[in-house]
Amino acid sequence: MQKECIAMLLAGGEGSRLGVLTKERAKPAVPFGGKYRIIDFTLSNCVNSRIDTVGVLTQYQPLELNDYIGNGQPWDLDLIEGGVHILPPYQKRQNSDWYKGTANAIMQNIPFIKQYDPTYVLILSGDHVYKMDYSKMLEFHKEKNADCTIAVINVDEKDASRFGIMNTRDDDSIYEFEEKPKVPKSTKASMGIYIFNWSILQEFLEQDDQDETSSNDFGKNIIPAMLNANQKLYAYPFDGYWKDVGTIESLWESNMDLITLTENIISTNTDWQIYARSPIMPPHYISDEANVINTIMSGGCTIYGHVDTSIIFNGVIIEPGASIKNSVIMPGAHIKKGACIYKCIIDENVIIGENAVIGENAIIGENAIQEENNHTKTESKVTDQIIVIGKNIQIRTGAVITDNSMIENEIIEVIT
């Protein structure tokens, strides 16, 4: 069946900058925001934009991600014609290989794309948190009669050198692309979202595949090659919340944004829903001795302790006397009596022992958060480090962890 536009979602990266959070899972499968996974945002954007055919290109640690996506039913992508398709690398008679780059990943899936004979192909990343109507970007692409349209967002001038920068004319046409320039000429950063005319993209993918010196990457190779060939490339300006959550810092910040921003990505524009495969659990329970402030929590939580400015996922247990602040506690974690946690990400099914202290600003024990709120806490050295405890780990009773390098010495066991 022919489709006007299909989406190809790149979800196979290792995500090494997320450390232990991606030791056993692909980056797009990392939990986010109390009830979601990172990939939910891109899949939901596709459905809300009326793009009903999505290829998800997986490679690194795909089991959890594949299981989560399943048949695509939570996103209404369980279709007979179209829907969501998991596309791992596969063995062929010749030229078989792992995905060597973003462009090579699409190149290896040309047979899948040809099934739908699309006019346009939308290339997406599975590790960004944002809401975006791709149909508006497609209309822009058509109006400009473009060969390729790249979504861009204005970033702070001081941060521009961290991104691929698009230099444009007044009509938004791109005349130059700079990969992480030391002295940027503009602040229009590529969001890694592309719309191509399929016939033209296929031609450039095949040319790139023949170049043994190529990195087989869209930003490094395909886009510069198209510019050099005088193809019509345009920058589509995006004005909204967008975050690349590929580092511990950005993941933590984006979770905190859900609490601290008046207009956050979940509560703003509720007509544009973010869908997810959510577990069936009872409502959360907050005891009369608990103190919960400025916090997002999901079903199945049992809270007896003090929680402030945090994200609490489903099935979390927080025992009496435990204090948690500025932290992300992922599904099934168990925080025992008297434990004090500050500025941490606690992964799935972690057990934190009684009276354990995790996070430098929590080193004075369970009263740290209350004293800080009363502005009576004495001066102490506070670092910006975010402590991350990997999944299925049990931390010993009374452990003190103020640096990520200390975690290994405080582990009782890895739960299987």
Side-chain angles (χ1 to χ4, degrees):
M1 178 182 180
Q2 185 176 21
K3 301 279 186 178
E4 181 187 33
C5 181
I6 70 169
M8 299 293 280
L9 200 166
L10 300 165
E14 182 178 346
S16 59
R17 292 180 298 167
L18 286 177
V20 294
L21 298 179
T22 51
K23 183 179 179 180
E24 298 179 5
R25 61 161 80 92
K27 182 164 49 173
V30 172
F32 179 87
K35 63 171 290 185
Y36 305 102
R37 305 280 179 140
I38 295 171
I39 199 171
D40 287 330
F41 292 86
T42 309
L43 288 176
S44 298
N45 286 339
C46 287
V47 172
N48 291 326
S49 302
R50 300 180 299 281
I51 294 173
D52 63 4
T53 304
V54 183
V56 181
L57 286 66
T58 63
Q59 180 161 280
Y60 173 80
Q61 293 282 17
L63 180 61
E64 188 170 330
L65 180 62
N66 293 354
D67 184 61
Y68 181 74
I69 294 173
N71 67 351
Q73 187 272 334
W75 307 273
D76 199 24
L77 287 171
D78 51 338
L79 307 176
I80 295 175
E81 295 179 339
V84 66
H85 299 261
I86 304 296
L87 302 173
Y90 59 92
Q91 182 71 38
K92 300 186 286 291
R93 288 195 176 185
Q94 56 184 354
N95 298 326
S96 294
D97 205 344
W98 293 107
Y99 295 149
K100 294 180 287 187
T102 54
N104 178 257
I106 303 300
M107 173 70 193
Q108 290 197 40
N109 284 284
I110 285 178
F112 170 80
I113 298 172
K114 282 185 173 180
Q115 289 183 101
Y116 299 99
D117 190 24
T119 306
Y120 309 103
V121 173
L122 170 66
I123 308 296
L124 302 167
S125 174
D127 54 5
H128 299 158
V129 172
Y130 65 112
K131 289 181 177 180
M132 182 177 181
D133 189 343
Y134 303 135
S135 67
K136 292 182 178 179
M137 182 176 172
L138 181 57
E139 287 303 313
F140 175 93
H141 180 85
K142 293 176 182 177
E143 289 170 5
K144 296 294 187 179
N145 194 28
D147 298 316
C148 170
T149 298
I150 302 170
V152 298
I153 188 168
N154 272 309
V155 296
D156 289 338
E157 190 171 349
K158 62 181 176 60
D159 295 327
S161 60
R162 295 171 43 225
F163 295 88
I165 297 297
M166 301 295 164
N167 298 319
T168 64
R169 304 178 183 89
D170 291 341
D171 65 350
D172 293 316
S173 61
I174 300 169
Y175 68 87
E176 185 181 27
F177 170 71
E178 296 180 288
E179 179 68 22
K180 298 181 180 179
K182 292 183 179 179
V183 184
K185 297 176 184 176
S186 80
T187 56
K188 294 180 180 179
S190 170
M191 298 168 65
I193 300 169
Y194 313 98
I195 292 178
F196 293 94
N197 293 347
W198 170 235
S199 59
I200 293 174
L201 175 59
Q202 183 177 352
E203 176 185 338
F204 278 89
L205 287 175
E206 291 171 347
Q207 290 176 8
D208 182 70
D209 192 55
Q210 297 301 312
D211 183 357
E212 294 182 357
T213 66
S214 175
S215 299
N216 306 123
D217 183 81
F218 278 103
K220 294 178 182 177
N221 305 109
I222 300 296
I223 301 305
M226 293 185 72
L227 283 171
N228 290 336
N230 295 318
Q231 299 292 321
K232 291 181 286 187
L233 281 75
Y234 283 83
Y236 175 75
F238 176 73
D239 183 18
Y241 184 92
W242 176 84
K243 195 92 164 183
D244 180 343
V245 288
T247 67
I248 292 296
E249 292 75 16
S250 61
L251 179 66
W252 179 84
E253 288 170 1
S254 194
N255 272 281
M256 292 299 106
D257 285 345
L258 299 177
I259 301 171
T260 59
L261 296 181
T262 303
E263 295 186 358
N264 68 63
I265 193 169
I266 293 176
S267 65
T268 304
N269 187 10
T270 53
D271 292 334
W272 196 271
Q273 294 289 345
I274 302 300
Y275 303 99
R277 187 179 294 280
S278 299
I280 305 301
M281 302 198 77
H284 63 258
Y285 171 75
I286 303 175
S287 77
D288 59 359
E289 62 190 279
N291 185 13
V292 180
I293 304 168
N294 202 30
T295 289
I296 292 173
M297 63 179 61
S298 290
C301 296
T302 304
I303 312 295
Y304 291 93
H306 179 104
V307 185
D308 187 352
T309 315
S310 294
I311 304 286
I312 310 297
F313 281 77
N314 52 280
V316 170
I317 299 173
I318 301 173
E319 292 189 1
S323 296
I324 299 170
K325 184 169 183 179
N326 292 358
S327 295
V328 178
I329 313 297
M330 293 184 178
H334 187 164
I335 315 301
K336 293 195 172 183
K337 293 179 181 179
C340 189
I341 297 171
Y342 179 84
K343 201 174 182 182
C344 297
I345 298 177
I346 308 296
D347 206 343
E348 294 184 75
N349 304 318
V350 167
I351 299 173
I352 304 296
E354 291 186 13
N355 299 312
V357 174
I358 305 178
E360 180 147 356
N361 204 27
I363 60 174
I364 61 172
E366 65 179 87
N367 295 321
I369 294 172
Q370 189 61 47
E371 290 191 22
E372 180 185 358
N373 290 337
N374 293 335
H375 304 287
T376 61
K377 183 173 179 286
T378 58
E379 287 293 321
S380 63
K381 180 183 176 183
V382 178
T383 71
D384 289 328
Q385 182 173 168
I386 300 161
I387 305 298
V388 184
I389 308 294
K391 68 190 300 187
N392 300 324
I393 283 175
Q394 182 173 356
I395 299 296
R396 70 177 71 253
T397 295
V400 177
I401 299 173
T402 59
D403 185 279
N404 282 306
S405 64
M406 303 169 65
I407 293 171
E408 186 173 350
N409 294 331
E410 301 293 351
I411 295 173
I412 293 178
E413 63 176 331
V414 178
I415 305 162
T416 57

PDB file of all heavy atoms in Angstrom, residues 295-311:
ATOM      1  N   THR A 295       5.509  17.318  43.847  1.00  0.00           N
ATOM      2  CA  THR A 295       5.996  16.034  43.349  1.00  0.00           C
ATOM      3  C   THR A 295       5.003  15.410  42.373  1.00  0.00           C
ATOM      4  O   THR A 295       3.794  15.554  42.519  1.00  0.00           O
ATOM      5  CB  THR A 295       6.250  15.073  44.539  1.00  0.00           C
ATOM      6  OG1 THR A 295       7.397  15.538  45.251  1.00  0.00           O
ATOM      7  CG2 THR A 295       6.477  13.654  44.093  1.00  0.00           C
ATOM      8  N   ILE A 296       5.541  14.711  41.363  1.00  0.00           N
ATOM      9  CA  ILE A 296       4.734  13.914  40.441  1.00  0.00           C
ATOM     10  C   ILE A 296       4.890  12.456  40.833  1.00  0.00           C
ATOM     11  O   ILE A 296       6.008  11.971  40.992  1.00  0.00           O
ATOM     12  CB  ILE A 296       5.189  14.117  38.986  1.00  0.00           C
ATOM     13  CG1 ILE A 296       4.864  15.548  38.529  1.00  0.00           C
ATOM     14  CG2 ILE A 296       4.535  13.111  38.056  1.00  0.00           C
ATOM     15  CD1 ILE A 296       5.433  15.885  37.160  1.00  0.00           C
ATOM     16  N   MET A 297       3.753  11.742  40.989  1.00  0.00           N
ATOM     17  CA  MET A 297       3.847  10.323  41.315  1.00  0.00           C
ATOM     18  C   MET A 297       2.804   9.533  40.546  1.00  0.00           C
ATOM     19  O   MET A 297       1.767  10.061  40.137  1.00  0.00           O
ATOM     20  CB  MET A 297       3.713  10.098  42.814  1.00  0.00           C
ATOM     21  CG  MET A 297       2.388  10.513  43.407  1.00  0.00           C
ATOM     22  SD  MET A 297       2.358  10.155  45.181  1.00  0.00           S
ATOM     23  CE  MET A 297       3.712  11.162  45.754  1.00  0.00           C
ATOM     24  N   SER A 298       3.105   8.258  40.334  1.00  0.00           N
ATOM     25  CA  SER A 298       2.235   7.398  39.553  1.00  0.00           C
ATOM     26  C   SER A 298       1.536   6.371  40.431  1.00  0.00           C
ATOM     27  O   SER A 298       1.778   6.288  41.639  1.00  0.00           O
ATOM     28  CB  SER A 298       3.051   6.688  38.466  1.00  0.00           C
ATOM     29  OG  SER A 298       3.460   7.591  37.478  1.00  0.00           O
ATOM     30  N   GLY A 299       0.696   5.556  39.782  1.00  0.00           N
ATOM     31  CA  GLY A 299      -0.078   4.563  40.503  1.00  0.00           C
ATOM     32  C   GLY A 299       0.790   3.516  41.171  1.00  0.00           C
ATOM     33  O   GLY A 299       1.915   3.235  40.758  1.00  0.00           O
ATOM     34  N   GLY A 300       0.236   2.925  42.244  1.00  0.00           N
ATOM     35  CA  GLY A 300       0.923   1.845  42.926  1.00  0.00           C
ATOM     36  C   GLY A 300       1.996   2.279  43.893  1.00  0.00           C
ATOM     37  O   GLY A 300       2.652   1.430  44.499  1.00  0.00           O
ATOM     38  N   CYS A 301       2.211   3.593  44.063  1.00  0.00           N
ATOM     39  CA  CYS A 301       3.207   4.078  45.024  1.00  0.00           C
ATOM     40  C   CYS A 301       2.645   3.991  46.444  1.00  0.00           C
ATOM     41  O   CYS A 301       1.448   4.197  46.669  1.00  0.00           O
ATOM     42  CB  CYS A 301       3.576   5.531  44.740  1.00  0.00           C
ATOM     43  SG  CYS A 301       4.368   5.779  43.157  1.00  0.00           S
ATOM     44  N   THR A 302       3.523   3.731  47.396  1.00  0.00           N
ATOM     45  CA  THR A 302       3.156   3.745  48.803  1.00  0.00           C
ATOM     46  C   THR A 302       4.146   4.668  49.511  1.00  0.00           C
ATOM     47  O   THR A 302       5.339   4.382  49.575  1.00  0.00           O
ATOM     48  CB  THR A 302       3.231   2.333  49.409  1.00  0.00           C
ATOM     49  OG1 THR A 302       2.395   1.461  48.645  1.00  0.00           O
ATOM     50  CG2 THR A 302       2.764   2.342  50.850  1.00  0.00           C
ATOM     51  N   ILE A 303       3.634   5.785  50.030  1.00  0.00           N
ATOM     52  CA  ILE A 303       4.510   6.838  50.556  1.00  0.00           C
ATOM     53  C   ILE A 303       4.237   7.048  52.047  1.00  0.00           C
ATOM     54  O   ILE A 303       3.122   7.405  52.451  1.00  0.00           O
ATOM     55  CB  ILE A 303       4.294   8.176  49.808  1.00  0.00           C
ATOM     56  CG1 ILE A 303       4.290   7.971  48.291  1.00  0.00           C
ATOM     57  CG2 ILE A 303       5.332   9.202  50.250  1.00  0.00           C
ATOM     58  CD1 ILE A 303       5.581   7.514  47.709  1.00  0.00           C
ATOM     59  N   TYR A 304       5.269   6.826  52.867  1.00  0.00           N
ATOM     60  CA  TYR A 304       5.208   7.115  54.297  1.00  0.00           C
ATOM     61  C   TYR A 304       6.187   8.213  54.684  1.00  0.00           C
ATOM     62  O   TYR A 304       6.060   8.801  55.754  1.00  0.00           O
ATOM     63  CB  TYR A 304       5.543   5.854  55.111  1.00  0.00           C
ATOM     64  CG  TYR A 304       4.504   4.774  55.031  1.00  0.00           C
ATOM     65  CD1 TYR A 304       4.613   3.768  54.082  1.00  0.00           C
ATOM     66  CD2 TYR A 304       3.419   4.753  55.907  1.00  0.00           C
ATOM     67  CE1 TYR A 304       3.665   2.752  54.003  1.00  0.00           C
ATOM     68  CE2 TYR A 304       2.459   3.751  55.838  1.00  0.00           C
ATOM     69  CZ  TYR A 304       2.586   2.753  54.887  1.00  0.00           C
ATOM     70  OH  TYR A 304       1.637   1.756  54.808  1.00  0.00           O
ATOM     71  N   GLY A 305       7.188   8.491  53.841  1.00  0.00           N
ATOM     72  CA  GLY A 305       8.241   9.434  54.196  1.00  0.00           C
ATOM     73  C   GLY A 305       8.016  10.828  53.629  1.00  0.00           C
ATOM     74  O   GLY A 305       6.906  11.216  53.265  1.00  0.00           O
ATOM     75  N   HIS A 306       9.113  11.571  53.532  1.00  0.00           N
ATOM     76  CA  HIS A 306       9.107  12.956  53.068  1.00  0.00           C
ATOM     77  C   HIS A 306       9.610  12.992  51.619  1.00  0.00           C
ATOM     78  O   HIS A 306      10.706  12.506  51.330  1.00  0.00           O
ATOM     79  CB  HIS A 306      10.009  13.803  53.964  1.00  0.00           C
ATOM     80  CG  HIS A 306      10.083  15.245  53.563  1.00  0.00           C
ATOM     81  ND1 HIS A 306       9.431  16.252  54.239  1.00  0.00           N
ATOM     82  CD2 HIS A 306      10.729  15.852  52.529  1.00  0.00           C
ATOM     83  CE1 HIS A 306       9.690  17.415  53.652  1.00  0.00           C
ATOM     84  NE2 HIS A 306      10.475  17.194  52.615  1.00  0.00           N
ATOM     85  N   VAL A 307       8.812  13.570  50.708  1.00  0.00           N
ATOM     86  CA  VAL A 307       9.188  13.656  49.300  1.00  0.00           C
ATOM     87  C   VAL A 307       8.991  15.092  48.825  1.00  0.00           C
ATOM     88  O   VAL A 307       7.904  15.656  48.985  1.00  0.00           O
ATOM     89  CB  VAL A 307       8.356  12.703  48.416  1.00  0.00           C
ATOM     90  CG1 VAL A 307       8.868  12.737  46.980  1.00  0.00           C
ATOM     91  CG2 VAL A 307       8.381  11.286  48.967  1.00  0.00           C
ATOM     92  N   ASP A 308      10.033  15.679  48.247  1.00  0.00           N
ATOM     93  CA  ASP A 308       9.977  17.079  47.824  1.00  0.00           C
ATOM     94  C   ASP A 308      10.588  17.206  46.426  1.00  0.00           C
ATOM     95  O   ASP A 308      11.710  16.746  46.174  1.00  0.00           O
ATOM     96  CB  ASP A 308      10.765  17.942  48.831  1.00  0.00           C
ATOM     97  CG  ASP A 308      10.619  19.434  48.578  1.00  0.00           C
ATOM     98  OD1 ASP A 308      10.035  19.823  47.551  1.00  0.00           O
ATOM     99  OD2 ASP A 308      11.102  20.214  49.421  1.00  0.00           O
ATOM    100  N   THR A 309       9.841  17.828  45.504  1.00  0.00           N
ATOM    101  CA  THR A 309      10.329  18.163  44.162  1.00  0.00           C
ATOM    102  C   THR A 309      10.984  16.947  43.499  1.00  0.00           C
ATOM    103  O   THR A 309      12.153  16.965  43.134  1.00  0.00           O
ATOM    104  CB  THR A 309      11.320  19.346  44.217  1.00  0.00           C
ATOM    105  OG1 THR A 309      10.795  20.364  45.073  1.00  0.00           O
ATOM    106  CG2 THR A 309      11.534  19.940  42.827  1.00  0.00           C
ATOM    107  N   SER A 310      10.212  15.902  43.349  1.00  0.00           N
ATOM    108  CA  SER A 310      10.739  14.655  42.798  1.00  0.00           C
ATOM    109  C   SER A 310       9.736  13.994  41.860  1.00  0.00           C
ATOM    110  O   SER A 310       8.555  14.333  41.844  1.00  0.00           O
ATOM    111  CB  SER A 310      11.116  13.681  43.932  1.00  0.00           C
ATOM    112  OG  SER A 310      12.196  14.197  44.696  1.00  0.00           O
ATOM    113  N   ILE A 311      10.238  13.028  41.083  1.00  0.00           N
ATOM    114  CA  ILE A 311       9.412  12.221  40.189  1.00  0.00           C
ATOM    115  C   ILE A 311       9.404  10.802  40.739  1.00  0.00           C
ATOM    116  O   ILE A 311      10.460  10.170  40.856  1.00  0.00           O
ATOM    117  CB  ILE A 311       9.983  12.199  38.752  1.00  0.00           C
ATOM    118  CG1 ILE A 311      10.156  13.621  38.202  1.00  0.00           C
ATOM    119  CG2 ILE A 311       9.111  11.348  37.849  1.00  0.00           C
ATOM    120  CD1 ILE A 311       8.890  14.320  37.823  1.00  0.00           C
TER     121      ILE A 311
END
